[in-house]
Amino acid sequence: MASVDVTVCGAGIFGLSTAWALAKRGARVRVIETRAIGAGASGGLVGALAPHAPEAWNEMKALQFRSLTMAAAWWDEVHHAGGADPLYLRAGRLQPLADSAALELARARETAARDLWQGAAEWRVIPATGAPWEPASPSGWLISDTLTARISPRQALASLAQALRARGGTIGQEGTDGPGLVVHATGYEGLAELSAHFGRKLGAGVKGQAVLLRHDAREAPQIYAPGLHIVAHGDGTVAVGSTSESTWETPGPDAQAETLITRAREVLPVLHGAEVLERWAGIRPRAKSRSPVIGAWPGRPGHFIANGGFKTGFGMAPVCAELLADLIVEGRDMIPAAFLPATLLQGALPPRRFAAHPRDI
């Protein structure tokens, strides 16, 4: 197909990932960001690329699995194209099990993972050993999975920006939608714009908070306890997050950030005394479907949407970007129905369950 001109509005993870995927296909790409790269929710701290539990398989879990398994090669290509390291590592994850009921459920998921993950990763129940980088487990057992990865959000955005520029793409603060095609990747403000355009609430912003500690555990697995991610990054820091707040008094960090610090030190005592480097807060875009929203803007020819990353934006970005670039540049529409803007508009139906294996999606 002949080269096309595409304007991407928004330099968060969905915007820059889509711009990169488009540029790889020969599109002439410019990114417009009115504030700064990663000025919204993508400029956070956590960077947990973690799967949902391997059960009740649906389109969301299947596409997420595909994205997580392609992530290492995808980010390696970005790194080498622009020279900036996104600090990606598939380090795995540990989760404590609270009691015998949780242990029984975890063993059932262990069996499901062997079928659904098809050897690409493992979900195992293992005994706790009391090692320093291990969460306290009331049952004496942990879940260990090898699919979870981490990435530095800010380094990832810088890596994408450099790769895009190396391919001839531009990033600036000024410009208009035209000429050519337009991708709207404008976070929770974009969901508000969609809602206003169609006269119905299609999503909203959800505040999230995180903190950054100085502690060098850069090769260690992630720790997950209910509502708490502890992620060791490749620069000698540890990120802790995150909250989910539908209402808030201030968009900046508040007392809940201090609660994150306290909880992290309870779950992982080795963090006691670690210096707090940063407290962060941002507004994340959550679509009514709670899934990413990618595809053509209904009734607006030449316009496309990349939004709704919420808690899975960095994990889902590689596959979402490639699918959207396939549609825009090559005319191949392989986007599952659950993620299309038209589906969100029709009622934001939850992803349907189905029996297909990941390779069929």
Side-chain angles (χ1 to χ4, degrees), residues 2 38 43 55 73 106 121-122 134 169 172-173 175 181 193 210 222 228 279 288 315 332 339 341 359:
E55 63 181 7
E122 292 184 336
E134 190 175 278
Q173 292 187 322
L181 307 175
E193 180 187 2
Q222 286 179 44
L228 187 73
R279 296 165 176 84
K288 196 171 182 180
R332 292 193 297 119
F339 304 94
R359 62 175 177 271

Side-chain angles (χ1 to χ4, degrees), residues 55-321:
E55 63 181 7
W57 207 245
N58 57 36
E59 287 177 318
M60 174 65 180
K61 291 186 179 183
L63 200 66
Q64 182 191 54
F65 177 85
R66 176 177 166 186
S67 195
L68 292 174
T69 53
M70 68 186 277
W74 198 86
W75 284 108
D76 186 63
E77 183 181 30
V78 173
H79 181 185
H80 285 91
D85 189 351
L87 299 179
Y88 170 91
L89 180 67
R90 189 165 145 179
R93 177 177 58 174
L94 296 174
Q95 302 178 59
L97 292 169
D99 51 33
S100 58
L103 177 59
E104 182 179 358
L105 178 58
R107 292 198 186 282
R109 288 171 171 171
E110 184 177 40
T111 301
R114 283 197 291 269
D115 178 45
L116 294 170
W117 290 1
Q118 301 171 38
E122 292 184 336
W123 171 293
R124 296 185 299 121
V125 176
I126 63 173
T129 66
W133 192 267
E134 190 175 278
S137 176
S139 70
W141 295 89
L142 303 167
I143 298 168
S144 171
D145 85 72
T146 62
L147 183 56
T148 297
R150 52 89 164 154
I151 200 164
S152 168
R154 295 168 187 174
Q155 285 295 113
L157 296 179
S159 184
L160 282 165
Q162 288 195 202
L164 177 62
R165 290 178 177 125
R167 284 289 182 117
T170 64
I171 304 172
Q173 292 187 322
E174 297 181 357
T176 61
D177 285 355
L181 307 175
V182 182
V183 177
H184 300 265
T186 48
Y188 81 97
E189 297 100 334
L191 288 179
E193 180 187 2
L194 276 175
S195 298
H197 181 85
F198 289 108
R200 58 185 300 183
K201 187 173 182 179
L202 300 177
V206 176
K207 181 180 176 181
Q209 299 189 56
V211 297
L212 191 67
L213 308 177
R214 188 188 304 281
H215 182 86
D216 196 340
R218 62 190 70 198
E219 302 297 325
Q222 286 179 44
I223 305 298
Y224 176 76
L228 187 73
H229 294 271
I230 302 175
V231 183
H233 283 295
D235 58 358
T237 63
V238 172
V240 180
S242 62
T243 64
S244 291
E245 305 157 50
S246 297
T247 60
W248 56 88
E249 294 182 2
T250 171
D254 56 36
Q256 293 205 45
E258 307 310 310
T259 301
L260 286 173
I261 297 169
T262 300
R263 289 193 60 215
R265 289 170 172 167
E266 290 173 348
V267 171
L268 202 60
V270 72
L271 295 178
H272 277 287
E275 178 187 0
V276 179
L277 300 175
E278 183 179 349
R279 296 165 176 84
W280 174 90
I283 313 302
R284 299 171 296 187
R286 183 174 68 187
K288 196 171 182 180
S289 62
R290 295 181 176 246
S291 297
V293 182
I294 54 172
W297 184 316
R300 196 174 180 186
H303 289 252
F304 302 84
I305 296 166
N307 209 317
F310 191 40
K311 295 181 178 181
T312 62
F314 279 87
M316 296 289 286
V319 74
C320 288

